[in-house]
Amino acid sequence: MEVGSLPVELWRLILAYLPLADLGRCCLVCRAWRELVLSLDSTRWRQLCLRCPECRHPNWPRRPQLAPPSWREVLRQHALASRTWTLNGSELHSSACLHLFRRRKDRRVWRVETEAGCGAVTLRGALAAAGPYDRIHLYPGVYEEQAEVTLKVPVEIVGKGKLGEVVLMISFDQQCPTARLCNVVFMPAWFSPVAYKTSSGHVQLDNCNFEGCQLHIRGPGTCQTRFCSFSQGSSAHFLGVAISLVDSCEFSGGDSASITVEGPPVSERNWACKHLAALAKSLTTPTSNGSTADAANQDSRDTVGGVSPGDTPIGGALTVEDLTKQDVDLESGWTKQKAVNGALLPGELDLGCSSDGDEEQRGDNVKDVDYALPYDQHGLAHLSEPRPPDWASVPALLGLSAELQRDAEARELAGSVQGCLLHRCLLRDGKGGVHLYNHAQARLEANMFRGLNYAVRCIQNAKLVMLRNEVSGCRASGVFLRLSAQGLIAQNNIHSNGEAGLDIRKGANPIILCNRIHSGLRSGIVVLGNGKGSIRSNQIYSNREAGVYILFNGNPVVSGNHIFQGLAAGIAVNENGRGLITENVIRQNQWGGADIRRGGDPVLRNNFICHGYSDGVVVGERGRGLIEGNHIYGNRGCGVWVMSSSLPQLIGNYITHNRMYGLAVFCRKDPESERGGERGGQENFHEEGEMLAWESDMDSEDERFSSRRPITVALVENNCMSRNGAVGVYVKSSEALNVVGNMVSNNRAAGMSIIQSTQLTRLVGNCVHGNGRTGVTVDRECRVELRGNGIYGNSCHGICFRGDGQIVENDVVGNSGVGIRVMESADVKVVRNRVQCLRGCGISVRQQVRGAVQENLVYQGNPANSKPPINSDPQNQDCIVLSNTLLTHRPNTPWALENPPPRPLGNNPPSAAPSTNPTHLAISMTSRITATVESGCHNNGSIFCSIL
């Protein structure tokens, strides 16, 4: 019979009436017939699969509406899996072929009904009469036994009819090598809640329901559970299992954990372990080669809270041009305080560029270029034109395969199949999902956890591999790890949970890769209580609290993540938290991109912190840490906001294009600490009300800081603070501060403004260039030392000084106002500076200034300038002016700053971020004088910064 004799459509119609066995025979006729049979996948093969009483929809219970790629393949896999229980190689004879034939011939079918006179009356009687591998058919009815039923020979028990028509109120104890139960409903017997248990053999459960009862498997026993439902408080317990497989099952309504895995896998193995391991390998996704179709379907259907990370650019909807031009902020309306064309922000000191006597007036009609001293070759010239980073330089998220290639430990975990394997299951509407403890091991892949108190709890040295699961709607934390738990958590979608998406504490040390953690009612990831972990290449977004929250000596590595669009801080480090935070993209968060407070001491290195609705980095009261090599730009608040009771190190950062101050240092206490609330909010991190003794988990202070040199003075070194909307460096502090080797340029207001400085502030080796107002302003009663700075081309005065201190060996050239203006009751020494002012005085000493102006070199400005190079009030007897030199310009002679060249001299390390802790730097240049910070000493903190 030729295929071509009839149309293909007619052949398909004919073949659609054939049973499974005949379809198989037709496939063997020829290639054309095989292709015809295979083309029936969505019709006949689908019917055969769905009509099989032993197999539910292949995507049940997670997505029963989603068709599989091939119905024929589903039916084939089901046929293979249903025979796993018979693969007991130890009972085979020398001739495998003859043994198979004999088994088929000798295998009997026993019929059990509840009505008398129809076969064996009781199930116990049928089990007593059955031989090895016999099949027992149970017809609809309720089967109940008054004592435990022991299975002593391999047997298969199959319920006939629809699922739910055969009910077993029996407690089984399996003592034989293998058994299979299919299409039955388990209910608890009156004497025991355990419906089925085994401690040595292998049991296969297909298409069964457990209602209000328990399944117990103890190693070396094994279990394969497929398409089963556990409801009304049912659960599965695995104790010391080497391997067991729970595939496509549903767990709901439990008042405890749905699946409990306890104890390390036993070394003794039964016969089924190798077959289950091979089956598990075929079911698990090959992580090294990317996602399978199942993972792809899951990702395509998972909701992400209305945000598609792939559709959102790194810079989001904001660009640098938007930040400089936008006049309305719908969230907070903060642009009412925006600095426009150099206008002052609240609290900014105006030391006068307007006319205050003839000496400060500038002439704009005379060409000064021929008399201007060049200063472009100063030591920080490489930072003169800072720009926002090119998007190509922003680190992209790595995929799981790339992460596994560079991490051997994660790669080994991803390939491990041991303990309990939970695959494609739905766990919903109960107290707990999976509970691992006491060195247990489990692998969870492609499951859904919904509406639970918690999805996964891994404690007491347990090991977890969790791949491509969806965890949502948990009332507490989604995934909870503590007590030295470890494992791999990768490519999961964790969202919309009541507490943290992941909660890591008490020495737990997992590897967290390539997850989406979003839309939580609290933080995305919380690390506390000596928790560790490696958190890499995750998307963490749209959480109501911090994306990553580190506290109580938490010490994770947070690297290569994208943390964005959160309703609080991107990363918060609090209450003695630590951690290495590197190469993350932290953008568009409502609070600070990074928020460090109350003893937090992280290393924040090489991150991109941008386009936030508040400050870039906030260092709150008693905050510490190394903030190094970061790009902090495009934020609507300050670039870096520091409280004066903090001791951070800011080294080699690019702080640019922020709408307010580049760096702001304020004298202020957190309201929480004013009320004595050192541990405010700690109760939120208790595990279901359990009072945890955090003090017993914390390291001592000596241990914590033994690896890092003690810091006594806050340090700001080798940063670039450019094109910010207000002052580049704004200081209103009661603590000592060292500002060394920074580029402060092209800010809309002053370059550096010292408003309050009761302890010594040292400005050493900085370049202050091209700012919209005065280069450096110092208010009255401030203690400031300026040494070795280059102050060039600012739109107002070079230095305007009202406080106490020294101005030593600076180059003050090309500014539009007075070079160095000392006024009011200042007590200052102005020594060995090089000054040029083209249209005004080089040095102006006014009012009741005390101190000395000596050994300064004043370069001639424009010859049309009628102002004296040094102007001092003749009635002022308290200021000594002597030994100063005026250098005039000679035609056709090079006019330059020489011996030394323009300051800063470039002897500071380059701005590129060093790879190690800069312990060699002189970070204790001046000793800190202990002083208390008075409560409420000022009201001018960041208008966005809030207490976590």
Side-chain angles (χ1 to χ4, degrees), residues 192-215:
S192 174
V194 180
Y196 199 98
K197 65 181 178 180
T198 182
S199 58
S200 60
H202 170 71
V203 60
Q204 181 169 328
L205 301 169
D206 289 335
N207 197 32
C208 297
N209 283 2
F210 287 78
E211 297 181 1
C213 54
Q214 300 173 6
L215 170 66

Side-chain angles (χ1 to χ4, degrees), residues 342-356 362 661 727 730 749-750 752-755 772-774 776-780 795-797 800-802 821 823-824:
L344 297 180
L345 286 170
E348 181 181 338
L349 179 66
D350 183 7
L351 295 183
C353 278
S354 59
S355 59
D356 185 11
R362 292 167 290 176
Y661 308 112
V727 179
Y730 182 89
M752 296 183 177
S753 184
I754 316 300
I755 302 300
R773 298 185 69 85
T774 302
V776 178
T777 65
V778 178
D779 199 6
R780 59 180 63 88
S795 298
C796 191
H797 310 304
C800 201
F801 204 98
R802 294 180 176 177
R821 188 185 192 209
M823 54 192 301
E824 298 187 7

